């Protein structure tokens, strides 16, 4: 897969973390990165967006819709809904908690000790290999 043609959507309500994730994706060759702050906007992009989404990077705790409180299960709900609706878009979890979740492309621990560029490179290598 040509990462420069990949459209990625980052779901995270933290502006600074979203910017860090965008930088790491761009460092690894992904040029088309959209950041949304809640699942409502993500689902709108999946169902009504002009371009096909090739990759989702999600935090695990954020609001499900605009104006709502943070949902501590948001990432799990996203993955579960995608499985239920048979939406086959690769998912990378990027969270300040270190998760190991089956059936996703990868998990990146958002921690100041981790090199986000190399961690995303590891996860994205699976995307390139599987395409």
């Amino acid at each position: 897969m040509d990462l420069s043609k990949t459209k990625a959507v980052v779901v995270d309500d933290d502006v600074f973390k979203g910017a860090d994730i965008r930088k790491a994706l761009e460092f690894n060759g992904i040029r088309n990165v959209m950041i949304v702050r809640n699942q409502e906007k993500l689902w709108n992009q999946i169902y009504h967006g002009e371009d096909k989404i090739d990759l989702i990077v999600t935090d695990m705790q954020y609001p499900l819709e605009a104006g709502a409180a943070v949902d501590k299960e948001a990432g799990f709900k996203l993955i579960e809904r995608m499985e239920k609706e048979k939406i086959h878009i690769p998912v990378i979890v990027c969270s300040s908690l270190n998760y190991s979740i089956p059936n996703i492309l990868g998990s990146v621990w958002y921690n100041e000790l981790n090199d986000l560029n190399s961690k995303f490179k590891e996860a994205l290598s699976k995307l390139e290999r599987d395409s």
Side-chain angles (χ1 to χ4, degrees):
M1 171 178 272
D2 182 354
L3 292 179
S4 67
K5 293 184 167 92
T6 299
K7 179 178 181 181
V9 177
V10 177
V11 188
D12 201 312
D13 61 329
D14 183 313
V15 175
F16 299 107
K17 185 173 156 203
D20 288 345
I21 293 169
R22 177 193 301 269
K23 287 178 196 169
L25 292 173
E26 288 174 346
F27 178 86
N28 283 286
I30 297 178
R31 302 287 174 245
N32 190 353
V33 180
M34 171 188 278
I35 300 174
V36 298
R37 308 278 178 240
N38 57 62
Q39 273 191 35
E40 179 180 41
K41 291 187 181 198
L42 172 65
W43 292 116
N44 188 45
Q45 282 299 309
I46 289 173
Y47 293 120
H48 308 293
E50 293 180 21
D51 299 324
K52 175 183 161 276
I53 297 171
D54 302 301
L55 174 68
I56 296 171
V57 179
T58 185
D59 190 11
M60 296 303 282
Q61 300 180 11
Y62 51 85
L64 294 177
E65 55 191 43
V70 169
D71 186 320
K72 296 194 181 295
E73 300 290 318
F76 290 112
K77 289 176 182 177
L78 169 64
I79 294 165
E80 183 180 292
R81 181 172 171 182
M82 289 178 66
E83 288 174 356
K84 182 180 176 185
E85 295 186 19
K86 296 184 180 11
I87 296 171
H88 302 290
I89 301 171
V91 174
I92 296 174
V93 167
C94 184
S95 179
S96 56
L97 299 173
N98 196 6
Y99 287 95
S100 178
I101 301 170
N103 303 323
I104 64 169
L105 185 63
S107 186
V108 173
W109 183 23
Y110 184 80
N111 179 298
E112 64 186 34
L113 301 177
N114 280 342
D115 175 5
L116 278 185
N117 293 341
S118 65
K119 295 298 179 183
F120 271 100
K121 183 176 185 165
E122 288 174 28
L124 292 169
S125 69
K126 296 175 192 171
L127 181 64
E128 290 180 299
R129 197 173 49 239
D130 294 344
S131 61

